[in-house]
């Protein structure tokens, strides 16, 4: 099998044919992941194994490049014993999925199919959006005034005229640490647990920042995109992270679903069975 430190096994390969999923999985998130997609596919994927990326432990101070992540996932392993028939990407994971698919096309001699779920590029505004999401998830831990102040500070960070993606990410993580400290004190959790959560958030910000250094456009042109109503709303609002993605996306199948349900609904399964042709 490919390196266990780089990939987790969602479905063990019954043959030499595998599918790769690129995501930043995290416990407790609302969004469905590849494990739910695989469960929904059931016997339709019985001949394939499904592996999911394990993000490396790296922080903003390390300033990793997009290639760093690809090297982490594609390093030593028994790749020559397998045929990767498809690479799937979720959100910004779609950027890295393109790089992995490009690499595999050169090494195995055949291009894997590429399927992207709500694919988006990354820019400085995405960092603020993620911070806003984290504040919303905290719910009543913060007062309305505290939550609004946190959102305003996150927006101010990314709207600064000198805001550079990596530098803005550092400031966003500092803000997250400050708010997490307050939240954990209020709910009685330890500093060590807080530090663990902050490290995870920083790792996610690092993953987002490095993705800005990868150009996925050539691979996305031959991809299948499966998109949600939330994605469509972002497109209509002119969100550049989505609008620029749509410009180079291959075939697209918009579904009447929320972003969080995109990989747990049978509508996505039908698209995969009817149009991807695995």
């Amino acid at each position: 099998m490919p390196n266990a430190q780089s990939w987790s096994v969602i479905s063990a390969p019954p043959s030499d044919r595998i599918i790769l999923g690129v995501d930043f999985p995290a416990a407790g998130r609302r969004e469905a992941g590849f494990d739910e997609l695989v469960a929904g596919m059931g016997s339709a994927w019985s001949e394939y194994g499904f592996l999911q990326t394990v993000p490396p432990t790296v922080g903003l101070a390390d300033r990793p490049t997009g290639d760093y992540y690809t090297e982490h996932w594609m390093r030593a392993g028994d790749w020559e014993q397998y045929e990767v028939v498809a690479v799937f990407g979720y959100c910004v994971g779609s950027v890295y999925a393109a790089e992995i698919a490009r690499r595999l096309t050169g090494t195995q001699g055949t291009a894997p199919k590429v399927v992207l779920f709500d694919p988006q590029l990354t820019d400085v505004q995405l960092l603020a959006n993620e911070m806003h999401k984290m504040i919303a998830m905290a719910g009543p831990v913060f007062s309305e005034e505290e939550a609004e102040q946190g959102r305003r500070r996150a927006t101010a960070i990314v709207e600064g005229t000198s805001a550079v993606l990596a530098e803005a990410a550092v400031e966003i993580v500092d803000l997250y640490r400050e708010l997490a400290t307050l939240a954990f004190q209020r709910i009685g959790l330890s500093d060590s647990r807080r530090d663990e959560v902050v490290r995870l958030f920083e790792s996610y910000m690092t993953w987002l920042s490095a993705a800005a250094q990868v150009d996925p456009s050539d691979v996305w042109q031959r991809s299948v995109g499966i998109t949600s109503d939330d994605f469509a709303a972002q497109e209509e609002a002119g969100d550049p992270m989505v609008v620029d993605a749509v410009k180079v996306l291959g075939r697209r199948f918009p579904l009447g679903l929320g972003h969080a349900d995109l990989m747990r609904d049978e509508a996505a399964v039908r698209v995969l069975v009817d149009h991807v042709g695995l």
Side-chain angles (χ1 to χ4, degrees):
M1 289 289 292
N3 195 304
Q5 293 182 325
S6 304
W7 298 91
S8 61
V9 178
I10 292 180
S11 177
S15 68
D16 63 349
R17 310 186 77 198
I18 59 176
I19 300 169
L20 304 179
V22 188
D23 192 6
F24 192 99
R29 78 176 194 184
R30 296 184 305 108
E31 295 89 349
F34 286 118
D35 54 342
E36 291 178 80
L37 181 68
V38 171
M41 290 298 296
S43 60
W45 280 355
S46 60
E47 66 178 287
Y48 306 119
F50 198 108
L51 310 183
Q52 177 174 254
T53 49
V54 175
T57 302
V58 61
L60 289 166
D62 300 306
R63 295 293 180 99
T65 64
D67 285 346
Y68 174 89
Y69 287 90
T70 306
E71 291 295 335
H72 171 77
W73 295 317
M74 302 305 295
R75 64 185 178 181
D78 299 329
W79 289 104
E80 68 280 358
Q81 298 182 24
Y82 296 92
E83 177 192 2
V84 178
V85 298
V87 181
F88 290 3
Y90 181 69
C91 293
V92 173
S94 299
V95 173
Y96 294 114
E99 190 65 24
I100 290 173
R102 186 184 296 117
R103 181 81 63 92
L104 286 166
T105 299
T107 58
Q108 69 181 20
T110 57
K113 296 181 184 297
V114 178
V115 181
L116 310 175
F117 295 82
D118 276 359
Q120 64 180 137
L121 302 168
T122 185
D123 70 4
V124 70
Q125 182 58 45
L126 180 58
L127 307 184
N129 293 350
E130 292 300 317
M131 189 68 227
H132 293 175
K133 185 190 300 182
M134 294 300 175
I135 291 171
M137 289 175 63
V141 173
F142 300 122
S143 68
E144 290 186 13
E145 181 179 352
E146 289 169 334
E148 179 58 27
Q149 183 181 47
R151 288 189 290 268
R152 286 200 302 266
R153 290 174 62 188
T155 300
I157 288 171
V158 303
E159 289 182 348
T161 55
S162 62
V164 176
L165 189 63
E167 296 173 2
V170 171
E171 293 187 51
I172 289 289
V173 171
D174 287 343
L175 173 59
Y176 182 87
R177 182 180 293 106
E178 178 185 332
L179 294 178
T181 298
L182 177 60
F184 276 52
Q185 287 174 347
R186 287 179 175 173
I187 60 182
L189 295 178
S190 67
D191 289 348
S192 61
R193 175 57 178 153
R194 175 207 61 196
D195 292 343
E196 179 183 342
V197 170
V198 171
R199 281 194 298 272
L200 177 61
F201 184 75
E202 180 180 358
S203 180
Y204 182 48
M205 290 294 103
T206 306
W207 145 286
L208 295 180
S209 299
Q213 303 173 47
V214 178
D215 179 4
S217 57
D218 61 327
V219 176
W220 283 15
Q221 289 172 1
R222 63 176 181 84
S223 69
V224 171
I226 301 176
T227 61
S228 68
D229 281 345
D230 294 321
F231 185 92
Q234 287 178 274
E235 181 185 5
E236 185 176 352
D239 185 332
M241 294 173 289
V242 168
V243 171
D244 290 345
V246 170
K247 289 177 182 177
V248 295
L249 198 58
R251 289 184 298 160
R252 177 179 171 187
F253 296 89
L255 303 179
L257 302 169
H259 174 70
D261 296 322
L262 195 56
M263 289 200 290
R264 66 166 59 101
D265 193 278
E266 65 178 12
V269 170
R270 288 197 299 272
V271 172
L272 291 170
V273 171
D274 295 341
H275 300 285
V276 176
L278 293 179

